[in-house]
Amino acid sequence: MDPSELNIPPMKDLTIDNITENTILINSQSPDQRLTYVMERLVTHLHDFARETRLSTSEWMAALNFLVKVGQISSDVRHEFILLSDILGLSLLVDAIDHPKPASSTEGSVLGPFHTHDPPSISNGSSISSDPAGEPCLVVCTVSDQAGIPIVGVKIDIWETDSSGHYDVQYADLQSPDGRCVMKSDENGVFYFKAIVPVPYPIPHDGPVGQLLKLLKRHPWRPAHMHFMFEKEGWDNLITALYIRNDPYETSDAVFGVKQSLVVDFTTVDAATAKEYGVKEGTKLLKHDFVLVGKEETMKLRDENALKAMEKLGRRVKLIDHLPVPDLD
Amino acid sequence: MDPSELNIPPMKDLTIDNITENTILINSQSPDQRLTYVMERLVTHLHDFARETRLSTSEWMAALNFLVKVGQISSDVRHEFILLSDILGLSLLVDAIDHPKPASSTEGSVLGPFHTHDPPSISNGSSISSDPAGEPCLVVCTVSDQAGIPIVGVKIDIWETDSSGHYDVQYADLQSPDGRCVMKSDENGVFYFKAIVPVPYPIPHDGPVGQLLKLLKRHPWRPAHMHFMFEKEGWDNLITALYIRNDPYETSDAVFGVKQSLVVDFTTVDAATAKEYGVKEGTKLLKHDFVLVGKEETMKLRDENALKAMEKLGRRVKLIDHLPVPDLD
């Protein structure tokens, strides 16, 4: 580890005015052009933030201590940094950048911190909720391509809170998953299940993110919704949610997830439907048709958007693995 | 918690192009103008970073998981977020902003993650190190104002590694503090103590920050140094360090702390000095005169610098508690 091999100028007497270029320089030794570019933008924005606010030592220390707390309250079932990203609008932004949606397809929404990787697999017609206090509902959906052709065998993750607004993993004494499942679309692109009508709920606000919201005089509520995630080889992953119309928090979601096209109405099950799906007449009914976009089409759209956006920003870039790096040629 | 009280426009269908202004708006409900301004700049830079890199979902998730790890390895005796701030040049920058130094005073350097709050108090002449493998040295210092008038009763924190390059708190089986102390300058502004000659050492690189350095092909080494922190009512806190000349890492410090004025030479103790301080002739000797700046002078300088810098950035601000906020009048 001989520093003379570093081929960088002597780093001494660094100041407010030259620390940024020097940090960028020492961070530019990897052959990974994408890493170098991401670090360059990160360091530039981090330093500009400090310079534009004249950040004080005590504010800096308070921020670092806050970040330690965000990490330390995180666990296998609670990702407080995702929550922080959510309330700062970053999650929505990254999803919008990474998963552009043509007008004819289903829009995305925020993943949130409560998706888990081992929900029970169920088949059509099963129930995902065991909460006796929840209002039962039937959910009948299709998944198709933009031309309306059903897509068979799509893996679908579904998750929602119980009637008190808590996800299963928020209970310390949880025995088995509840309010969540993974299922597959059938030969007609159909999937249906029993659940409970979603309720609005506050995001976990007993931790550092909750303290920040309080400081900012922001409420922690999300409007009632049900999460869906779609995965199938050849199709762009779709992370989305359906929001129930006229929720009091429909226009002030703490994590900015609501889109008009994802706001839905419940109706009630008629006699024929009750018989077909084995539920009581009058049960709440949610029907929705999801539309996926091919992986290649999405990548092409993302590449086009990236190049257009970077040109608008005056940045000359090329794409490596569909991600921009400076074009130095 | 009635969202209609929020007095903000409906937040729905947020996009790459309008998420930033909307997040800033919902973050602007506190009467704390400084908080509002800091959050505005934070959200702007965070979002611009994502837009300028076209940050992908997998990069975003990798970053959030990295930050969780940084928080989780942190403890009472290891602040991995300070370490992260150090290697990104942010610590140096914040210190330079917050503690401007007139030319005639001692420059600051990075605090680092290993300062503790309960070192043993010692009096002049005591030893701070019990490491038999270290090369003994005598350190004789003064602390004065810019006119050379001694400052009496300054609280001085001193800390250094052992001869293997580890701080006491890095040992799991640590019985009592070692290589650190707190002392007071005497009636002549003098303080002196026995220690060991500092050695270069790698910053802790067994955690996420070490992994990042490796990814960036950066070495984790700091040149040999001894930390000093000075505190006395009426004087600006001075956090600094003395660096030993000709260290192999003098010009590539992993945390950007070296300043030419803080690079010092060891000499050796002559017969008279040996007798005066009760050490062997030929012992390594470090002498240094530290110069503090009055609190008021520092605040005045900081205010002037802030206003000048903000004007240069084209930002119209006023200072509240010596920190800038937008001047909307």
Side-chain angles (χ1 to χ4, degrees):
Chain A
M1 193 81 70
D2 178 356
S4 69
E5 289 168 17
L6 291 177
N7 198 22
I8 47 173
M11 302 233 164
K12 220 189 287 189
D13 291 317
L14 299 181
T15 66
I16 296 176
D17 296 320
N18 68 12
I19 180 68
T20 306
E21 62 195 90
N22 277 282
T23 307
I24 289 170
L25 203 56
I26 208 170
N27 280 345
S28 302
Q29 302 171 73
S30 161
D32 182 337
Q33 293 176 64
R34 175 67 180 168
L35 175 68
T36 301
Y37 178 58
V38 168
M39 290 304 296
E40 183 226 302
R41 297 321 302 154
L42 177 71
V43 166
T44 300
H45 283 296
L46 190 65
H47 289 194
D48 281 348
F49 165 68
R51 273 188 289 257
E52 290 172 8
T53 57
R54 306 293 293 181
L55 197 67
S56 74
T57 303
S58 60
E59 290 173 326
W60 166 82
M61 186 56 92
L64 296 184
N65 287 339
F66 171 81
L67 292 173
V68 167
K69 282 189 203 148
V70 173
Q72 296 198 331
I73 206 171
S74 294
S75 69
D76 284 351
V77 293
R78 176 174 185 163
H79 203 314
E80 192 87 353
F81 268 108
I82 292 185
L83 204 62
L84 181 59
S85 165
D86 289 351
I87 68 142
L88 294 179
L90 181 65
S91 308
L92 181 282
L93 176 59
V94 170
D95 184 68
I97 290 170
D98 209 33
H99 296 281
K101 302 293 179 197
S104 55
S105 65
T106 302
E107 290 191 274
S109 191
V110 291
L111 173 68
F114 288 118
H115 176 252
T116 66
H117 291 284
D118 51 0
S121 288
I122 65 163
S123 48
N124 269 340
S126 297
S127 176
I128 70 168
S129 172
S130 69
D131 181 1
E135 183 178 5
C137 68
L138 173 68
V139 185
V140 181
C141 304
T142 67
V143 51
S144 71
D145 69 9
Q146 294 169 83
I149 314 276
I151 310 177
V152 182
V154 178
K155 180 188 168 204
I156 307 138
D157 273 70
I158 302 150
W159 65 108
E160 64 165 347
T161 68
D162 65 13
S163 60
S164 79
H166 294 89
Y167 289 95
D168 53 358
V169 292
Q170 293 181 273
Y171 292 99
D173 59 348
L174 174 69
Q175 299 297 321
S176 57
D178 197 27
R180 65 176 75 237
C181 73
V182 60
M183 56 193 310
K184 292 226 160 162
S185 59
D186 70 13
E187 66 279 11
N188 300 311
V190 170
F191 62 99
Y192 60 95
F193 57 95
K194 292 164 195 149
I196 59 173
V197 175
V199 294
Y201 65 86
I203 59 171
H205 54 116
D206 57 335
V209 168
Q211 285 164 358
L212 178 60
L213 286 177
K214 204 171 164 185
L215 211 59
L216 293 170
K217 310 237 177 263
R218 283 176 55 178
H219 74 68
W221 287 85
R222 298 212 64 201
H225 63 278
M226 193 179 280
H227 290 278
F228 295 85
M229 181 158 76
F230 299 81
E231 281 177 88
K232 187 181 178 181
E233 189 68 35
W235 300 89
D236 189 46
N237 277 7
L238 171 64
I239 297 168
T240 193
L242 297 179
Y243 296 87
I244 316 308
R245 195 180 312 281
N246 292 331
D247 188 284
Y249 303 103
E250 186 178 318
T251 58
S252 70
D253 183 0
V255 305
F256 312 103
V258 183
K259 298 194 173 142
Q260 194 53 44
S261 70
L262 301 174
V263 176
V264 295
D265 293 290
F266 272 92
T267 56
T268 50
V269 167
D270 62 18
T273 308
K275 199 171 167 196
E276 184 181 350
Y277 291 97
V279 297
K280 277 187 205 159
E281 196 179 332
T283 302
K284 293 277 185 186
L285 173 65
L286 176 59
K287 295 185 82 166
H288 199 73
D289 300 316
F290 293 92
V291 179
L292 303 190
V293 185
K295 186 100 187 164
E296 282 203 14
E297 181 179 347
T298 299
M299 286 214 290
K300 196 162 160 275
L301 189 57
R302 193 165 58 206
D303 289 357
E304 284 168 10
N305 289 351
L307 292 173
K308 245 185 272 173
M310 301 301 272
E311 197 185 332
K312 216 170 151 188
L313 289 169
R315 301 195 157 268
R316 198 176 152 197
V317 300
K318 60 185 174 185
L319 300 180
I320 296 185
D321 292 334
H322 304 280
L323 293 168
V325 301
D327 185 3
L328 305 172
D329 301 335
Chain B
M1 193 79 73
D2 178 357
S4 69
E5 289 169 17
L6 291 177
N7 198 21
I8 46 172
M11 302 232 165
K12 220 190 286 189
D13 290 317
L14 299 181
T15 66
I16 297 175
D17 295 320
N18 68 12
I19 180 67
T20 306
E21 61 194 91
N22 277 282
T23 308
I24 288 171
L25 203 56
I26 208 170
N27 280 345
S28 301
Q29 302 171 72
S30 161
D32 183 337
Q33 294 176 62
R34 175 67 180 168
L35 175 68
T36 301
Y37 179 58
V38 168
M39 290 305 296
E40 183 226 303
R41 297 320 303 152
L42 178 71
V43 166
T44 300
H45 283 296
L46 190 65
H47 289 194
D48 281 349
F49 165 68
R51 274 187 289 257
E52 290 172 8
T53 56
R54 305 294 294 184
L55 198 66
S56 74
T57 304
S58 60
E59 289 173 328
W60 166 82
M61 186 56 93
L64 296 184
N65 286 339
F66 172 81
L67 292 173
V68 167
K69 281 188 202 149
V70 174
Q72 295 199 332
I73 207 172
S74 295
S75 69
D76 284 352
V77 293
R78 176 173 185 165
H79 203 314
E80 191 88 352
F81 269 108
I82 292 185
L83 203 62
L84 181 59
S85 166
D86 289 351
I87 68 142
L88 294 179
L90 180 65
S91 307
L92 181 283
L93 176 58
V94 169
D95 184 67
I97 290 171
D98 209 33
H99 296 281
K101 303 293 179 195
S104 55
S105 65
T106 302
E107 290 190 275
S109 191
V110 291
L111 172 69
F114 288 118
H115 176 252
T116 66
H117 291 284
D118 51 0
S121 288
I122 66 163
S123 48
N124 269 339
S126 297
S127 176
I128 71 168
S129 172
S130 70
D131 181 1
E135 184 179 3
C137 68
L138 173 67
V139 185
V140 180
C141 304
T142 66
V143 52
S144 71
D145 69 9
Q146 294 169 82
I149 314 278
I151 311 178
V152 182
V154 178
K155 181 187 168 206
I156 307 138
D157 272 71
I158 301 150
W159 65 109
E160 65 166 346
T161 68
D162 65 13
S163 60
S164 79
H166 293 89
Y167 289 95
D168 53 359
V169 293
Q170 293 181 271
Y171 292 99
D173 59 349
L174 175 69
Q175 299 297 318
S176 58
D178 197 25
R180 65 177 74 236
C181 74
V182 60
M183 55 193 310
K184 291 227 160 158
S185 59
D186 70 14
E187 65 279 12
N188 299 312
V190 170
F191 62 99
Y192 61 94
F193 57 94
K194 293 166 194 148
I196 60 172
V197 175
V199 294
Y201 65 86
I203 59 170
H205 54 115
D206 58 335
V209 168
Q211 284 164 359
L212 178 60
L213 286 177
K214 205 171 164 187
L215 211 58
L216 293 169
K217 310 238 177 260
R218 284 175 55 178
H219 74 68
W221 288 85
R222 298 213 64 201
H225 63 279
M226 193 178 282
H227 290 277
F228 295 84
M229 180 158 76
F230 300 80
E231 282 177 87
K232 187 181 177 180
E233 190 65 36
W235 301 90
D236 189 47
N237 277 6
L238 171 63
I239 297 168
T240 192
L242 298 179
Y243 296 87
I244 316 309
R245 196 180 312 280
N246 292 330
D247 187 284
Y249 303 104
E250 188 178 317
T251 58
S252 69
D253 183 0
V255 306
F256 312 104
V258 183
K259 301 200 170 137
Q260 194 54 43
S261 70
L262 302 174
V263 177
V264 295
D265 294 290
F266 272 91
T267 57
T268 51
V269 168
D270 62 18
T273 308
K275 201 171 165 196
E276 185 181 350
Y277 291 97
V279 298
K280 277 188 206 159
E281 197 178 333
T283 303
K284 293 278 185 185
L285 173 65
L286 175 60
K287 296 184 82 166
H288 199 73
D289 301 316
F290 293 93
V291 179
L292 303 190
V293 185
K295 185 99 188 167
E296 281 202 14
E297 181 178 347
T298 300
M299 286 216 287
K300 197 162 160 274
L301 189 57
R302 192 164 60 206
D303 289 356
E304 285 169 9
N305 289 351
L307 292 173
K308 245 184 272 172
M310 300 303 271
E311 197 186 331
K312 216 169 150 188
L313 290 170
R315 301 194 158 268
R316 200 178 152 195
V317 300
K318 60 185 175 187
L319 300 180
I320 296 185
D321 293 335
H322 305 279
L323 293 168
V325 301
D327 185 2
L328 305 172
D329 302 334

